[in-house]
Amino acid sequence: MAKFGLLGMLVIELVVFSLLAPDTFPTVSNFQNILSSQAIFMIVTLGLTVPVLAGEFDVSVANTLGFTTVLIGYLTVLKEWPFITALIVCILAGTIIGAINALLVVGLGINSFIATIGTGTVLTGLATLLSDSAVIPGLPEPLVTASTSQLLGLPLPVYYGLGLTVLLWLIYEHMPAGRRMLFVGAGREAGRLAGVRVQRLRAGAFIASGTIAGLAGLVLAGQLGASDPTIGSSYLLPAFAGVFLGATTIKPGRPNAWGTVIALYALIVGITGLQLLGAGSWVQDVFNGGALIVGVAVTRLATRSGRTTAGSDT
């Protein structure tokens, strides 16, 4: 039952805050806001699960998101490129960023944390350069429509995130690539000895992460209707908190798609509930930072426990 502990906590949060704030918390508009507010976080956090599952860190995901948010505005508004052409270039930009990270980490052997910090810092500078440190308004209507239209009372990005959740769940749990990636994350040398193409999987994980982060940036730009060069960094800590807290549930000890979604909504429900009860904006940083610490600690303990059990069985 431990693997459903976080889901149980989410249910308890819903009940407690509904009782403590009956006029403001258990309302349709509040739940719609909770669900829609996490759509971009869901996409970028799910993308981050890919390299983490492979035993790597991609600290540049938030910067990639921020860069593509600016790039689409730069190309379509300032340079007046056709929308489809600019869209393809932005998607390719995310993929190329992931490939650069793969080259640095897998090809040159640089620590993934250091390499992606460097990449992310460069992207922040480029976003500032392209935007001249200013918001770029007036993004193309098709992008805005695809990012703000609603279905059954929820914006389309919520469904994009859920679709990505299902896709990654299928890959992680039911396809050879997911099992091999988990094998690589657990031990590269063991993976090599088992015939797994470790380097290719590690590189692919960074490319997937960059591509998904780039797509998240495009959806965010459409939601805002503008390119904001300062917005990307705010997505980094919640993304890592969601990945590691999500690794404590459903499949304890490793990142997984549904656990990540549950973690994100457990965090936002707690934050929203406390703010409705009068807590200040500080609660968001406390929740996200605390969740990251707890998630890493519990994941480490679960991993050690699994290794100990495996050792005793042999």
Side-chain angles (χ1 to χ4, degrees):
M1 293 301 293
K3 66 180 182 178
F4 298 113
L6 189 62
L7 181 60
M9 188 186 85
L10 174 58
V11 173
I12 291 171
E13 284 180 334
L14 292 169
V15 172
V16 169
F17 289 125
S18 294
L19 293 174
L20 294 178
D23 295 329
T24 53
F25 186 83
T27 63
V28 172
S29 61
N30 186 47
F31 287 133
Q32 286 177 328
N33 180 64
I34 287 174
L35 289 170
S36 61
S37 68
Q38 293 303 97
I40 305 299
F41 284 106
M42 192 191 313
I43 297 170
V44 73
T45 304
L46 286 166
L48 183 59
T49 64
V50 184
V52 174
L53 186 64
E56 304 290 353
F57 292 101
D58 186 358
V59 188
S60 67
V61 287
N63 308 96
T64 302
L65 176 150
F67 176 73
T68 54
T69 299
V70 168
L71 184 60
I72 189 67
Y74 174 79
L75 294 177
T76 59
V77 177
L78 300 184
K79 295 300 180 181
E80 300 182 344
W81 281 29
F83 170 63
I84 296 299
T85 304
L87 185 69
I88 293 172
V89 169
C90 288
I91 294 171
L92 288 175
T95 304
I96 291 169
I97 291 165
I100 291 172
N101 285 333
L103 175 63
L104 295 174
V105 177
V106 180
L108 300 181
I110 302 174
N111 177 276
S112 61
F113 189 82
I114 300 300
T116 55
I117 282 180
T119 305
T121 304
V122 170
L123 291 173
T124 299
L126 290 176
T128 302
L129 173 66
L130 293 180
S131 65
D132 197 22
S133 301
V135 173
I136 304 173
L139 295 190
E141 188 60 33
L143 181 63
V144 175
T145 300
S147 303
T148 58
S149 297
Q150 294 197 350
L151 176 64
L152 301 177
L154 294 174
L156 291 180
V158 174
Y159 299 99
Y160 302 156
L162 292 175
L164 180 60
T165 303
V166 173
L167 175 61
L168 290 180
W169 170 71
L170 289 172
I171 293 173
Y172 291 164
E173 305 299 331
H174 300 284
M175 294 184 182
R179 292 190 289 271
R180 290 168 185 162
M181 199 172 299
L182 175 62
F183 202 5
V184 171
R188 294 177 198 165
E189 190 58 33
R192 285 193 193 92
L193 294 174
V196 176
R197 295 177 176 178
V198 173
Q199 301 297 74
R200 180 177 293 184
L201 281 172
R202 292 172 65 206
F206 281 110
I207 293 171
S209 177
T211 303
I212 294 171
L215 290 169
L218 291 172
V219 178
L220 176 60
Q223 281 190 336
L224 298 174
S227 297
D228 185 346
T230 67
I231 200 168
S233 60
S234 63
Y235 285 80
L236 182 60
L237 180 57
F240 271 94
V243 170
F244 283 102
L245 189 62
T248 68
T249 191
I250 307 300
K251 295 287 183 179
R254 64 182 175 94
N256 62 91
W258 290 112
T260 298
V261 174
I262 292 170
L264 286 174
Y265 282 107
L267 288 171
I268 193 60
V269 166
I271 291 168
T272 302
L274 290 174
Q275 288 180 336
L276 288 176
L277 292 175
S281 59
W282 55 266
V283 72
Q284 183 168 348
D285 291 332
V286 171
F287 251 69
N288 288 329
L292 179 58
I293 294 170
V294 170
V296 171
V298 173
T299 301
R300 179 64 61 88
L301 290 173
T303 303
R304 286 180 180 175
S305 176
R307 290 174 181 170
T308 302
T309 302
S312 63
D313 290 341
T314 57

